Amino acid sequence: MKPSLLRQAAADYGTPLYVYDVDIVRARFAELDALFGGRFGVSYAVKSNPNIGLLSAIRDCVTTFDVSSYGEMERALSSGCPASDVTFSGPGKRVEEIHRAVRAGLGELVLESVEEAEIANAAAGEFGCKQGALLRINPISVPRRFGVNMAGKPSQFGVDEEDIETAIPRILALPNIDLIGFHIYSGTNSLSHEAIAENFAIFLEVFRKAATLTGRPPQKLVFGSGFGLPYLPTDETLDVAALAAQVIPAIDAFRAEPLMGEAELVLEMGRWLVGPAGWLLTAVIGGKTSRGTTFRICDAGFNNHLAACGMMGTVIRRNWRFANISRPEAEEEVYTLVGPLCTTIDVLASAIALPRLETGDVIAIDYSGAYGLTASPTRFISHPEPREVLLEGSEVRDVTESLLNHWPSTGPMPRQAD
């Protein structure tokens, strides 16, 4: 965190404000490359943070942008990424989206079903091309200690491992589909390097089985990373160095196998890369004490950051990492932080100890670079949306894409006719 730059950004652009530090994101890419010795490329999951300014800033770091809608593909293209460096995954692709993506020259379509492969085959035939594809496989098992697991149970994602013996031949028979490899993403947000390593071992075994069924070497294999972040003050940071040390021998042995030597290995990830590089800045706009509880009311709530309010897949809401960047040295007091929304569930933090908070102070919510603004219901109660800025060194650049519900900056407020 760069408190002085964050304070200045809040003063210049107002709050609520999302701030993304490009230098931190690039350092995360470099760390991955160094720890894994260049064995993996990186496919950035655009859904984690689709801001076009950010995508443009990291374009040179990624192997591919992975999109989950044609709208996200348009964002990737707007960032300067060629269509051939885009992969398109997700269980709910519309027929029109598939046609648009194929026509645009999509790199690889991540197939979630045989039916989807047949739709893509028809689209490629219509446009006179052969569409590269990866088959997403839903493994039979996934280790524990993932925030969310998507394998070993009924799932809308991919083809079940036990069904690939019938699915793969059907896809191979489609004349306009080039099945060049496989994709697995079976668990997210794990802080255990042992669990992720165990999951990668499962991936390798499933990839072996799938490649054997095709009878030809795969060109690309995508490992859904599942790297987690320590959102809570009590969380331990994922030991990526220990993970790399555990995984590299298995990866090297895998690459030595006759079928696997030419395969490009790719980590699909987003959260781990951009999450630590972002903050939501929110100002205290009021306060009160009610029946022994001291409240501070902020200008951001779950409309701006659903995850930080514990409303994005969390069973028990716990306090994220908050900092008073206006007076960090003040004596701590205990507060309940709430947003501006007219509902009792708009709670940012409960019984949290922070340096004394006064009206006008700015609070930074850490680990907000992923699944923040675009994963939140910004239209609820029509409060002004947050702006977005990029930090590069000491430079701050406005990359705001939407100012829904913002008031006119000059002139009188509009008045209804009598």
Side-chain angles (χ1 to χ4, degrees), residues 4-226:
S4 62
L5 285 178
L6 296 183
R7 287 192 294 268
Q8 189 60 52
D12 291 344
Y13 296 95
T15 57
L17 178 70
Y18 272 97
V19 181
Y20 313 124
D21 190 325
V22 174
D23 297 332
I24 292 177
V25 183
R26 289 174 178 152
R28 305 283 276 187
F29 277 102
E31 180 182 359
L32 277 181
D33 190 59
L35 289 175
F36 287 97
R39 289 170 175 82
F40 289 97
V42 176
S43 180
Y44 174 74
V46 171
K47 62 180 175 287
S48 63
N49 190 325
N51 182 277
I52 294 173
L54 177 64
L55 299 183
S56 299
I58 64 173
R59 169 68 193 102
D60 292 341
C61 300
V62 304
T63 303
T64 53
F65 281 127
D66 184 75
V67 305
S68 297
S69 70
Y70 187 73
E72 285 192 345
M73 183 169 179
E74 289 180 317
R75 288 177 167 274
L77 298 178
S78 296
S79 76
C81 178
S84 57
D85 287 348
V86 176
T87 60
F88 188 176
S89 62
K93 305 180 191 74
R94 295 170 174 82
V95 172
E96 183 179 357
E97 288 184 295
I98 294 173
H99 277 249
R100 285 175 178 269
V102 172
R103 183 171 55 197
L106 174 73
E108 290 99 32
L109 187 68
V110 180
L111 302 172
E112 307 277 349
S113 67
V114 174
E115 178 186 17
E116 192 171 88
E118 292 169 344
I119 293 169
N121 180 68
E126 179 181 337
F127 300 124
C129 63
K130 194 160 187 173
Q131 177 59 53
L134 306 170
L135 177 63
R136 179 168 181 170
I137 302 173
N138 178 31
I140 293 170
S141 63
V142 62
R144 294 185 178 182
R145 294 180 289 178
F146 281 86
V148 176
N149 75 71
M150 298 171 277
K153 58 184 179 182
S155 175
Q156 69 267 47
F157 298 105
V159 173
D160 293 341
E161 180 183 345
E162 55 269 39
D163 294 334
I164 62 174
E165 291 186 10
T166 56
I168 287 176
R170 290 177 63 186
I171 294 170
L172 290 174
L174 298 172
N176 305 312
I177 296 295
D178 185 12
L179 184 62
I180 68 166
F182 304 97
H183 176 291
I184 301 176
Y185 206 123
S186 57
T188 69
N189 200 30
S190 176
L191 297 176
S192 166
H193 70 272
E194 294 96 341
I196 296 173
E198 184 181 347
N199 207 32
F200 277 23
I202 293 171
F203 290 3
L204 296 179
E205 193 55 42
V206 174
F207 287 148
R208 287 187 184 99
K209 182 191 302 186
T212 300
L213 289 169
T214 68
R216 63 191 191 193
Q219 297 175 40
K220 180 179 285 189
L221 299 171
V222 178
F223 295 63
S225 69

Side-chain angles (χ1 to χ4, degrees), residues 303-380:
N303 58 325
N304 298 153
H305 203 332
L306 198 69
C309 291
M311 302 171 72
M312 193 175 171
T314 301
V315 177
I316 300 174
R317 195 193 66 74
R318 299 171 190 165
N319 296 336
W320 274 31
R321 299 171 186 264
F322 291 75
N324 180 354
I325 62 172
S326 294
R327 56 185 78 248
E329 305 302 326
E331 185 176 349
E332 286 192 346
E333 298 183 19
V334 175
Y335 302 98
T336 290
L337 305 180
V338 298
L341 306 179
C342 191
T343 169
T344 58
I345 62 175
D346 189 24
V347 178
L348 290 164
S350 301
I352 188 170
L354 288 172
R356 186 182 72 257
L357 286 168
E358 298 180 1
T359 298
D361 285 353
V362 176
I363 298 169
I365 306 176
D366 209 351
Y367 287 92
S368 296
Y371 301 108
L373 179 59
T374 58
S376 302
T378 60
R379 296 180 67 180
F380 183 58

Side-chain angles (χ1 to χ4, degrees), residues 241-274:
L243 171 64
Q246 190 167 345
V247 164
I248 284 173
I251 294 295
D252 288 347
F254 179 77
R255 292 296 300 274
E257 297 173 15
L259 267 182
M260 303 303 176
E262 300 303 317
E264 179 185 11
L265 307 184
V266 178
L267 291 173
E268 183 188 316
M269 59 196 328
R271 180 197 311 270
W272 186 87
L273 291 167
V274 298

Side-chain angles (χ1 to χ4, degrees), residues 381-393:
I381 307 193
S382 299
H383 282 276
E385 286 185 330
R387 292 180 180 271
E388 298 174 278
V389 297
L390 287 185
L391 289 182
E392 291 190 70

